[in-house]
Amino acid sequence: MKKNKKRVVAVLLVVFWLAVLYLLQCLVVPKYQSGVVEGSMIAEYYRDKTKHDVVMIGDCEIYENISTVELWRQYGITSYLRGSAQQLPWQSYYLLQDTLRHETPKVVVFNVLSLKYNEPQSEAYNRMSIDGMEWSCAKIGAIKASMTEEESFADYVFPLLRYHSRWSELTEDDVNHLFSKDPVTFNGYFMRADVRPEEEFPDPMPLADYSLGKNAMSYLERMESLCRQKGIRLVLVKAPTLYPHWYDEWDSQIKAYADDKGLSYLNFIELRDDIGLDMSRDTYDAGLHLNVTGAEKLADYFGGWLRDSCGLPDHRGEKQYADYYETLTNHYEKEKQAQLTELKETGQLLSHAPVAVKETSFMKKIIIFGLIAALCLALTACSSSSGNAADSSTTSSAASAEVFTFTYRDVKIALSDEMAPIVKKLGEPKKYFESESCAFKGLDKVYTYDGVVIRTYPEKDVDYVLSVEFKDDTVATEEGIAIGDSREKVEKTYGKTDGRAATYTKGGVVLSIIFGDDDTVSSVTYTLASQSANN
């Protein structure tokens, strides 16, 4: 009898601690309800039980640039945007697999910008694309294809292992959204109503190799094959925004691929006038993404093309769709007016999420306090290990390893050096440009000085050097190579070259040297190996 009681007690204790660990996990995983809301987008798809004639997959060039509500209002097209920040080609493929578990759309739209990435990039953005997926073979495939060297599969299965040290960073969102999240999109479309006109962008960085990577293109091939097997029409698109730069060489490769496979490819950059875009009014971030007026214009144009070229039906007379989209449209218009009112009253959007955070009840606070106390007791020994994956894992400071460096105006510069001291020594640049980062949390910045362009990346509110590009022959590498030097001099300095470009890697830094038609150096660029454009 006593043995049975002990077994019951043991089982109850196990169940109790499993429940506590589950609640702690719910508490510490990022909620993505304000600020960085992109991490909420993938999971929202499962709430919508209607079917969609069009499913679009891709990065921010999808979810910020096309209004799903406008597609419905003008054409009765049912659509969903399965977008996420820096969604990589393999993630798009597995999201397509995941989508086909629930429905078979008539058209799948894929945004081609992500094909510039050929290898895993960042745990932070992996998490925002993968954590919200339902568990299936598709999610397992996405994890395996996306993990960086520092990541562990177990951390995806048990997020508490990755996020346990977030207990000291918990916010109101973590309390209010312990078990549920508010929607941040409208069928995947993320709305912004503010206006910041398109500006002059930095000149694109020359590349040593303009070939889209074999790994990236292999996943496009898988998407094409899967759509063909399911009788789905695959449409390739490039958003109408000019930054990040879409090279003509990349465009030619996509056109050739589309022609070979019999696919439609729409480069909306070439169709700006037909769409009716006014980039002094139709963008909210200086031309990187469209605001709601621009997204509605693009939806008006693209919806007409989808109707005429793909034969999509008009569902506005069908009650099961009309009721759903009437509710969605009402929320959409309410949010648009709320943003416009906020802009009029304050001059800025203080919150980007469509639903405001609710006040935490007293009882909730008591429960959360107890959970935090349990977390502190259970995981104190682990609190100094890995941090919040919402921060980039890119290494900072090149001082600890031998890397390529160069000296400009008597200032030695190495990639991953902090940028602020460099600016202090060099003075203000001739030109300065900043934009929301598509690869990191924060702002990418471009500093143009006489002879060099320095690009940075953010990490925990600090800017580090990402790349350095030479613009003329007034600057040279530490080893003495400058624009205009001969191929022979480069080979004597760094080693044998082959073809139009040569690359040399040291300490995680890639030195790219490109030769012109006269076999002299036309371009010199230093780039972090993990962030080179054609990994």
Side-chain angles (χ1 to χ4, degrees):
M1 193 70 172
K2 288 183 179 179
K3 288 184 178 180
N4 288 337
K5 285 183 178 180
K6 288 182 178 180
R7 288 174 183 172
V8 170
V9 171
V11 170
L12 289 176
L13 285 172
V14 169
V15 171
F16 170 76
W17 279 110
L18 287 175
V20 168
L21 289 173
Y22 171 74
L23 291 173
L24 290 173
Q25 179 167 282
C26 292
L27 176 64
V28 298
V29 294
K31 307 305 184 295
Y32 302 113
Q33 286 289 280
S34 61
V36 184
V37 300
E38 289 85 350
S40 288
M41 294 178 178
I42 291 300
E44 287 187 8
Y45 168 78
Y46 307 109
R47 298 184 181 189
D48 182 2
K49 302 306 179 183
T50 65
K51 300 299 181 183
H52 310 99
D53 283 341
V54 181
V55 172
M56 306 187 203
I57 51 178
D59 54 20
C60 53
E61 291 208 344
I62 283 289
Y63 68 76
E64 295 203 61
N65 288 339
I66 301 175
S67 168
T68 52
V69 169
E70 187 70 4
L71 286 174
W72 168 261
R73 287 194 298 206
Q74 296 299 323
Y75 303 102
I77 292 175
T78 58
S79 63
Y80 205 99
L81 313 184
R82 296 214 71 183
S84 54
Q86 202 195 56
Q87 186 181 114
L88 301 172
W90 40 95
Q91 294 164 354
S92 297
Y93 168 70
Y94 286 110
L95 279 167
L96 174 58
Q97 270 196 352
D98 178 67
T99 301
L100 296 181
R101 295 170 50 239
H102 300 272
E103 59 178 325
T104 304
K106 294 181 173 63
V107 177
V108 166
V109 178
F110 173 63
N111 181 68
V112 296
L113 180 65
S114 67
L115 293 169
K116 69 178 184 175
Y117 296 109
N118 199 48
E119 295 178 357
Q121 298 291 308
S122 162
E123 179 189 3
Y125 285 89
N126 286 347
R127 289 284 180 173
M128 286 191 276
S129 294
I130 296 172
D131 278 352
M133 294 177 68
E134 291 181 341
W135 277 102
S136 69
C137 291
K139 181 166 182 171
I140 293 172
I143 294 170
K144 290 181 176 179
S146 301
M147 285 191 304
T148 61
E149 292 182 358
E150 295 79 17
E151 292 183 81
S152 164
F153 185 85
D155 290 347
Y156 284 90
V157 179
F158 304 106
L160 181 60
L161 298 175
R162 183 64 185 90
Y163 295 113
H164 65 265
S165 62
R166 270 196 81 240
W167 67 269
S168 61
E169 304 170 8
L170 297 178
T171 67
E172 190 91 342
D173 281 341
D174 294 297
V175 175
N176 291 337
H177 301 286
L178 182 62
F179 300 112
S180 64
K181 295 181 181 180
D182 295 324
V184 299
T185 71
F186 301 92
N187 273 30
Y189 167 62
F190 180 60
M191 180 192 296
R192 289 288 295 265
D194 39 338
V195 177
R196 181 184 169 192
E198 183 177 79
E199 299 175 356
E200 180 182 356
F201 297 119
D203 293 334
M205 184 187 301
L207 305 181
D209 182 4
Y210 290 90
S211 301
L212 294 168
K214 291 182 180 179
N215 186 45
M217 291 300 290
S218 73
Y219 279 96
L220 176 58
E221 186 72 21
R222 294 189 197 189
M223 281 186 266
E224 190 279 330
S225 176
L226 185 55
C227 286
R228 185 163 24 88
Q229 292 171 18
K230 298 292 185 178
I232 300 169
R233 180 165 179 177
L234 177 62
V235 177
L236 308 179
V237 299
K238 168 64 187 76
T241 47
L242 303 178
Y243 190 90
H245 188 73
W246 180 245
Y247 293 89
D248 291 340
E249 292 85 353
W250 292 350
D251 195 58
S252 296
Q253 290 171 70
I254 298 302
K255 285 179 178 176
Y257 180 85
D259 289 343
D260 180 60
K261 297 294 184 179
L263 305 178
S264 296
Y265 168 48
L266 284 74
N267 183 345
F268 290 127
I269 295 174
E270 301 170 350
L271 299 169
R272 278 183 164 200
D273 291 340
D274 294 340
I275 296 167
L277 290 174
D278 176 359
M279 297 304 281
S280 68
R281 300 181 58 82
D282 292 333
T283 172
Y284 76 87
D285 55 1
L288 278 71
H289 307 94
L290 302 178
N291 58 21
V292 66
T293 60
E296 289 176 356
K297 289 179 180 180
L298 182 53
D300 288 342
Y301 179 89
F302 192 31
W305 186 91
L306 288 168
R307 177 197 60 194
D308 299 338
S309 299
C310 302
L312 296 185
D314 186 339
H315 293 288
R316 284 175 291 187
E318 301 174 29
K319 181 174 174 55
Q320 67 269 32
Y321 292 112
D323 290 347
Y324 172 82
Y325 279 93
E326 180 181 8
T327 300
L328 185 68
T329 301
N330 288 339
H331 287 311
Y332 177 94
E333 287 300 326
K334 184 178 179 180
E335 171 60 18
K336 186 196 295 188
Q337 290 305 311
Q339 289 195 19
L340 291 172
T341 299
E342 186 175 13
L343 287 167
K344 185 177 180 180
E345 293 177 351
T346 68
Q348 59 182 325
L349 289 180
L350 302 177
S351 173
H352 300 159
V355 181
V357 176
K358 300 175 183 177
E359 177 61 30
T360 308
S361 70
F362 177 76
M363 185 55 67
K364 276 187 179 180
K365 290 178 179 178
I366 293 296
I367 294 172
I368 300 307
F369 178 80
L371 288 174
I372 293 174
L375 179 61
C376 294
L377 291 172
L379 299 171
T380 298
C382 304
S383 62
S384 61
S385 59
S386 58
N388 182 2
D391 296 320
S392 171
S393 60
T394 305
T395 58
S396 62
S397 180
S400 61
E402 184 184 1
V403 298
F404 282 120
T405 62
F406 89 106
T407 301
Y408 177 70
R409 294 183 185 173
D410 298 325
V411 178
K412 181 168 283 191
I413 300 174
L415 272 66
S416 285
D417 276 354
E418 190 175 338
M419 187 62 188
I422 295 173
V423 174
K424 187 174 181 179
K425 294 175 183 177
L426 295 180
E428 292 301 314
K430 291 179 63 177
K431 291 183 180 179
Y432 171 78
F433 176 83
E434 66 180 36
S435 64
E436 288 289 341
S437 178
C438 290
F440 303 96
K441 181 182 177 182
L443 296 175
D444 291 332
K445 299 177 181 179
V446 182
Y447 300 80
T448 301
Y449 292 93
D450 290 325
V452 299
V453 176
I454 304 174
R455 292 172 167 84
T456 69
Y457 67 90
E459 184 176 347
K460 295 182 179 178
D461 299 323
V462 178
D463 296 318
Y464 299 95
V465 178
L466 175 67
S467 68
V468 177
E469 177 190 354
F470 293 4
K471 301 302 291 184
D472 57 40
D473 60 3
T474 62
V475 288
T477 68
E478 209 82 318
E479 297 78 17
I481 296 299
I483 290 176
D485 284 344
S486 67
R487 183 186 292 268
E488 181 183 9
K489 183 176 180 180
V490 172
E491 291 184 339
K492 285 182 178 179
T493 304
Y494 296 113
K496 187 172 177 56
T497 64
D498 183 20
R500 179 175 176 269
T503 58
Y504 308 92
T505 302
K506 184 165 65 173
V509 175
V510 177
L511 170 61
S512 299
I513 299 176
I514 300 175
F515 300 97
D517 295 335
D518 59 355
D519 231 21
T520 62
V521 175
S522 63
S523 172
V524 177
T525 306
Y526 295 98
T527 310
L528 282 179
S530 62
Q531 290 296 320
S532 56
N534 266 341
N535 289 336

